[in-house]
Amino acid sequence: MKFIQSTLISIFMLVALLAISSCSGKPELLDTIPANSRMVMTINAEKICSEFGIKFSETGADIPGHLKRKIKPTDDVNAVLDLLGRISAYGAGDVKSMAMSVYDEVLFTTLHIETVERIKALNCPWMQWGDDAGGYATGTLGRGLTVVARDGQMWIFEHCPKAPAVVREMLGEAEKASIGSLDAIAQSLAADRYVNLAIISEEIKDNKNLAPFQAATWALIGLNVDGPRFVSDIEMVKGTGEEIAVEGMQPINDAVLSYVPAACNVAFAAGLTPRFNWDYIKLLAAIGGDFQTRAALDVAIPFLNSIDDTVMLAAAPANEEAYSDPQPGNWNFIIMAHMSREKIDQLLGMVRTMVFTTGRSPVTDKNGIMAIPQYGTTLYMGNVDGYFAVATFPFSNNRDNSLTPVMEGKEAAALFTVPSLATLSDGAPEWGIDIKGQFDGSKGRIVATLPGSEGSVLVNLLSLL
């Protein structure tokens, strides 16, 4: 469980995955968070803990044994839960309405409290109070957390000796422009969902007024549980609430789906135009890719830019080793990308040259489809109805596929299904996982279910980390 570390980040990343959140009638909490915060999340710790069977009481928080075995709580996790349990039980604050954000590269969590004296009177064994600093009570929580408090509000940081100064500066910035002043963003963060998250997509340094933040693009993400389903809703908006459609996208061409076999465990499709911006892919490669990845992408970008309709990938296991050893030869797959004949001919020419250098000659049928022995199977490649197409089986456009319900009428969609996670590794659960995602215009939704599982979908998801 490397995910659960003895830091405040891990505590609330756990909350982010598992949490139930809303602003719960306390939108003024957002008035203390500057609008130039890169990320803001609202969380309801009481419901989170209830979902996992953690019981709050005057003596702290009782974590059930099965959860301890899954998350292996650290001292800082235990300390935060103990404090929140006491706050909830004694009514010393509002653990149903908490917010997390990052200010000046420092992660913090804040919540409403009644008074500092009431918090001190809780006698939380994990908390040690020190001297006041600049009008704030200060202390430590667990092994590495810093606490700053005043009557009405408390902040929890990772180890941060300058926390009181950070709080003062942050409150001053929030007076100029706060998240709470952006009505559309604040409304989303106050929605009654398990988790609400707002992320600004632009760097804005001038926060003297709201105009730059209203003009900026925000990603709004809501996480919810609907029975056995874990649901993530995503929306792109301006700070004013205006919906922002992703440029360069169009509906998936349903005709391409007829080339896909009935059983698919992995699939992705998107309707694109040449206006689609591939720069973010280059940025990711520059950040996390090696030299070979960046070089390969430099070669691929001109062809990606020429895609003028649907691009699609679908795959299914060819043998029992497909999940444990995801080599191309262990999968049956098809890839299709619509582009100009000129670009397709260039790609096919490059492939022929590469094959010839290995001392082999591809076999080409009357329709121009090449058959190339590779990865212990045969790859079929050619121009199929205006698509550059590669598959491990002959092309046919009358297959009975299962993708239409997921992808029809959407600008992008994907699915991932594993019948049993035990096929991935020894010791994994027998139940499976099914994830479907759809995107259309400015909005998207991802739904995850765990077929064959019992109990909380969130607890089961946590067990996979």
Side-chain angles (χ1 to χ4, degrees):
M1 288 300 299
K2 295 181 180 179
F3 185 79
I4 306 299
Q5 306 288 338
S6 57
T7 65
L8 186 63
I9 290 179
S10 62
I11 296 168
F12 288 101
M13 287 301 289
L14 171 63
V15 167
L17 175 65
L18 317 167
I20 299 173
S21 78
S22 76
C23 280
S24 187
K26 294 285 188 178
E28 65 270 18
L29 196 67
L30 299 179
D31 292 336
T32 66
I33 300 176
N36 63 345
S37 300
R38 301 292 298 173
M39 176 276 295
V40 182
M41 178 188 294
T42 53
I43 54 181
N44 185 320
E46 188 170 86
K47 288 186 176 181
I48 296 167
C49 293
S50 176
E51 178 75 15
F52 288 98
I54 299 174
K55 296 181 180 180
F56 285 167
S57 70
E58 290 84 352
T59 57
D62 179 29
I63 305 175
H66 73 276
L67 188 59
K68 286 183 179 180
R69 290 190 294 272
K70 289 181 177 179
I71 69 172
K72 295 180 175 60
T74 63
D75 285 349
D76 286 348
V77 172
N78 282 316
V80 170
L81 291 177
D82 185 276
L83 175 62
L84 296 182
R86 293 169 188 265
I87 290 175
S88 176
Y90 283 104
D94 186 1
V95 301
K96 298 178 182 178
S97 175
M98 301 171 61
M100 181 180 75
S101 187
V102 176
Y103 179 77
D104 194 24
E105 306 302 323
V106 178
L107 180 74
F108 70 91
T109 299
T110 184
L111 67 153
H112 286 290
I113 60 174
E114 294 297 325
T115 64
V116 172
E117 291 305 314
R118 290 203 65 186
I119 297 298
K120 290 183 176 181
L122 296 176
N123 295 319
C124 174
W126 299 90
M127 179 174 282
Q128 300 293 325
W129 291 98
D131 297 330
D132 288 0
Y136 296 96
T138 65
T140 59
L141 182 64
R143 290 184 179 272
L145 306 180
T146 300
V147 176
V148 176
R150 66 178 183 182
D151 288 350
Q153 193 167 359
M154 180 168 69
W155 294 261
I156 304 174
F157 296 82
E158 280 194 282
H159 179 67
C160 183
K162 298 181 179 180
V166 172
V167 169
R168 283 196 300 272
E169 181 180 334
M170 181 168 53
L171 293 177
E173 295 298 312
E175 288 183 359
K176 302 174 187 175
S178 72
I179 290 292
S181 299
L182 294 164
D183 292 342
I185 310 305
Q187 183 178 359
S188 177
L189 289 169
D192 186 18
R193 291 181 296 222
Y194 281 36
V195 170
N196 292 298
L197 179 64
I199 303 172
I200 191 170
S201 64
E202 301 172 30
E203 185 71 33
I204 297 177
K205 296 181 180 180
D206 177 17
N207 61 337
K208 296 180 180 179
N209 58 71
L210 287 177
F213 306 103
Q214 291 171 331
T217 298
W218 294 74
L220 305 179
I221 303 171
L223 305 180
N224 206 7
V225 170
D226 179 11
R229 306 190 313 160
F230 185 71
V231 181
S232 174
D233 288 301
I234 305 167
E235 184 175 10
M236 303 298 293
V237 301
K238 292 290 187 183
T240 58
E242 176 190 356
E243 295 181 358
I244 302 299
V246 177
E247 186 177 5
M249 298 197 70
Q250 60 184 331
I252 295 169
N253 186 344
D254 297 342
V256 74
L257 304 180
S258 63
Y259 286 93
V260 181
C264 284
N265 296 72
V266 181
F268 168 81
L272 305 178
T273 76
R275 297 193 313 277
F276 185 79
N277 188 353
W278 293 93
D279 287 348
Y280 75 96
I281 300 252
K282 296 173 65 175
L283 177 61
L284 290 176
I287 294 173
D290 56 19
F291 173 77
Q292 290 181 331
T293 300
R294 295 193 296 270
L297 193 58
D298 286 339
V299 174
I301 285 294
F303 295 99
L304 294 176
N305 283 331
S306 69
I307 295 176
D308 56 9
D309 201 331
T310 297
V311 59
M312 181 269 294
L313 176 149
N319 52 50
E320 294 181 354
E321 288 75 38
Y323 291 113
S324 59
D325 183 19
Q327 296 296 320
N330 292 332
W331 288 82
N332 291 318
F333 62 86
I334 181 170
I335 302 172
M336 300 182 72
H338 195 279
M339 57 183 67
S340 70
R341 182 183 183 89
E342 178 185 1
K343 289 295 183 182
I344 295 176
D345 289 344
Q346 288 182 26
L347 283 170
L348 295 177
M350 290 170 60
V351 172
R352 285 193 187 92
T353 300
M354 293 172 62
V355 173
F356 285 141
T357 60
T358 65
R360 290 174 293 176
S361 299
V363 177
T364 304
D365 68 13
K366 62 180 181 180
N367 296 316
I369 304 298
M370 292 188 294
I372 306 169
Q374 191 72 29
Y375 305 116
T377 184
T378 299
L379 290 182
Y380 298 88
M381 187 179 304
N383 184 336
V384 179
D385 293 341
Y387 288 83
F388 173 73
V390 183
T392 56
F393 43 81
F395 299 107
S396 172
N397 62 355
N398 58 3
R399 301 184 186 277
D400 183 17
N401 73 85
S402 58
L403 300 184
T404 301
V406 179
M407 299 186 172
E408 187 175 24
K410 302 302 179 183
E411 292 184 350
L415 65 85
F416 175 75
T417 301
V418 179
S420 173
L421 293 176
T423 61
L424 300 180
S425 63
D426 295 336
E430 293 292 334
W431 42 263
I433 186 168
D434 184 88
I435 301 174
K436 293 182 175 65
Q438 298 174 317
F439 183 84
D440 192 25
S442 64
K443 298 180 179 180
R445 166 168 282 199
I446 301 172
V447 178
T449 58
L450 308 175
S453 66
E454 296 181 357
S456 167
V457 62
L458 295 183
V459 173
N460 288 328
L461 284 172
L462 175 62
S463 71
L464 302 179
L465 299 177

